[in-house]
Amino acid sequence: MKKIVVTATGDSLFTANIPNEYFEGSFLPIQEFLSNVDVKMTNLETNVGEFGKFPNQYSGGTWLNCTPDDFDDLVKFGFDYYSTANNHCMDYSYHGLLSTISNLEKRNLAHSGTGDSLKSASAPAIIERNGKKVAIFAVDTSHKAPSKANDKTLTMDARPGVNYVDFTSYYPITKEQLAQLKEIAKTSNVNAYEQIMVDSGFSLSAPDGVYKFGNTLFCYDGSKKRTECNKKDLERLVESIRLAKKDCDLVILAVHCHEIGETKHEQVPDYFVELAHASIDAGCSAIIGNGTHQLRPLEIYKGKPIFYSLGDFIYQGMRVKYLPADFMEKYGIDVNATAYEGLMARSKNNTIGLQTERCNFLTVLPKMTFDGDKLLSLEMMPVVAGFKAEGELDGLPYVAKGIEAKEIFDILKSLSEPYGTKLKLVDDKIVLEG
């Protein structure tokens, strides 16, 4: 039986062209690595289309888009698959979402995670390599409600959007703190309108053991985890995985997640663990997390790898070409200011923000070798996404060696140990120990 080798990246937050200088230099070792892999995945953390069409009222934080011509530079990396399920997929509303899909399909590039209906957004991409079929699903858990796809009914058309898994957050409190919240609610009337909505049937009452204060749910009897998946959404995903597993040799799930476990980005929320374990139980052979702009733990669950976040592979956040009036108004500058002026206003002249923190530029390229759906080996190449590189090289990935490789190894090792994953560094590569 022929083996199949898979790699995946974190976010390709791609907004501008890539200079030839990069393709003739830092790219070459990455190109060599990718050329020896059967299936190459990335998260397309942008839209693909011409500017000027309908920036949405909201965005994933920054309105992200690249032109089709610039996108062809990303295509040079040779990725076989693009996840489009992320919190930026509706930055330019339905036009941007459908334009992205159209540009991927014009180039015969496999993708999943968004579509013109929930049925199409939920469908996996199917890639055939070495006589094997690989199904790749993609979901976004960090979406805003208006970006969710739905299906047609007898009277309504389908709505384009993202394949989603919702979750609910519960904040733990004591009985004493519950009494204090109720007293505050009584004197402030913070829950008055919500109670009217419940009484009239427009809202639902909080479940047993949960108290709703404003729009926040507090658990006072210890019955809830801090976050829990929406059961219906999870069941829909799990059933899709089971069906795909019947027809495919390998099933992989890409998950876009920004939420934190408690207080730090590297902490994995409870619902993500729930989602990942349930997906592997249903037949997934690997979970590829992205969204959080830094590395998160690697867990080996029932022999299958769960990358809770691969961080950023490409980060061109400061090379965004245009931004809408909404962005400028938020930061109190002229609506016709340049995108760079807007970004500098937000970042307080480049002193705060993702682009100023080195941890957001450290990642790994995993090399997963499967026989059937059994993981035979896992090797990871440390990569830096061009932290504070000069000019147009800023945010573009290169292979980490020596001290930088050790830096990435130490981070991933420390994060993964609580999950029972033991790693070692061998010749600037990270491998499983034992």
Side-chain angles (χ1 to χ4, degrees), residues 117-129:
S117 66
L118 181 58
K119 181 179 180 181
S120 61
S122 302
I126 305 295
I127 295 175
E128 296 193 32
R129 295 288 186 276

Side-chain angles (χ1 to χ4, degrees), residues 254-265:
V255 180
H256 198 78
C257 163
H258 279 272
E259 288 70 37
I260 61 176
E262 291 187 11
T263 60
K264 298 179 180 179
H265 280 297

Side-chain angles (χ1 to χ4, degrees), residues 167-425:
F167 67 93
T168 304
S169 296
Y170 302 96
Y171 294 89
I173 57 173
T174 65
K175 292 288 182 65
E176 291 75 20
Q177 290 169 329
L178 172 65
Q180 292 172 345
L181 282 180
K182 286 185 173 180
E183 181 61 27
I184 294 170
K186 181 180 178 180
T187 58
S188 68
N189 290 322
V190 68
N191 287 341
Y193 183 74
E194 177 63 16
Q195 190 58 52
I196 293 173
M197 292 294 99
V198 171
D199 292 343
S200 58
F202 288 95
S203 293
L204 299 176
S205 298
D208 292 342
V210 174
Y211 180 69
K212 189 172 184 180
F213 183 85
N215 293 317
T216 304
L217 299 178
F218 293 89
C219 179
Y220 56 83
D221 67 357
S223 62
K224 299 288 188 182
K225 289 188 175 182
R226 190 173 287 268
T227 55
E228 294 180 351
C229 286
N230 177 285
K231 301 304 179 189
K232 184 178 178 181
D233 294 345
L234 185 58
E235 288 169 3
R236 173 172 56 83
L237 173 64
V238 162
E239 182 59 24
S240 297
I241 291 169
R242 288 197 184 108
L243 289 173
K245 182 63 177 173
K246 292 180 179 179
D247 190 47
C248 296
D249 301 279
L250 205 61
V251 180
I252 299 172
L253 172 65
V255 180
H256 198 78
C257 163
H258 279 272
E259 288 70 37
I260 61 176
E262 291 187 11
T263 60
K264 298 179 180 179
H265 280 297
E266 60 264 30
Q267 295 170 336
V268 182
D270 293 329
Y271 82 81
F272 195 171
V273 177
E274 177 189 5
L275 186 159
H277 287 190
S279 298
I280 287 176
D281 291 342
C284 260
S285 294
I287 309 293
I288 307 299
N290 49 62
T292 305
H293 294 276
Q294 57 186 251
L295 285 169
R296 275 181 168 172
L298 164 63
E299 179 183 13
I300 306 298
Y301 174 72
K302 296 185 176 180
K304 315 296 186 187
I306 303 172
F307 292 93
Y308 283 110
S309 174
L310 284 172
D312 288 327
F313 180 68
I314 294 173
Y315 184 80
Q316 293 183 321
M318 295 300 287
R319 293 191 66 198
V320 175
K321 291 184 176 180
Y322 304 101
L323 288 168
D326 310 69
F327 188 97
M328 307 307 180
E329 289 168 347
K330 180 177 180 179
Y331 295 101
I333 62 176
D334 189 283
V335 296
N336 292 310
T338 66
Y340 186 73
E341 289 170 333
L343 294 168
M344 291 298 280
R346 181 176 69 180
S347 67
K348 298 181 179 179
N349 290 322
N350 214 10
T351 59
I352 62 171
L354 295 174
Q355 74 283 352
T356 66
E357 300 176 31
R358 183 172 171 79
C359 61
N360 297 320
F361 292 75
L362 306 179
T363 184
V364 295
L365 272 176
K367 184 178 181 180
M368 299 171 281
T369 302
F370 293 93
D371 187 350
D373 68 349
K374 181 181 179 181
L375 180 68
L376 294 182
S377 66
L378 171 58
E379 176 182 291
M380 290 160 277
M381 184 170 74
V383 169
V384 179
F387 179 60
K388 293 188 177 180
E390 292 294 326
E392 294 180 342
L393 296 178
D394 186 36
L396 298 179
Y398 64 84
V399 176
K401 300 287 186 181
I403 293 174
E404 286 190 317
K406 178 69 162 51
E407 176 187 14
I408 295 168
F409 165 74
D410 286 341
I411 291 171
L412 188 59
K413 179 176 183 290
S414 175
L415 292 173
S416 302
E417 280 180 343
Y419 290 78
T421 309
K422 297 187 181 301
L423 303 172
K424 60 183 178 180
L425 187 65

Side-chain angles (χ1 to χ4, degrees), residues 23 26-36 76-77:
F23 286 118
S26 299
F27 174 62
L28 297 177
I30 290 177
Q31 182 183 44
E32 181 181 3
F33 175 92
L34 294 174
S35 67
N36 292 311
K76 293 176 184 177
F77 279 77

Side-chain angles (χ1 to χ4, degrees), residues 151-162:
D151 285 323
K152 65 183 298 185
T153 68
L154 293 175
T155 57
M156 296 284 177
D157 287 339
R159 181 177 64 234
V162 71

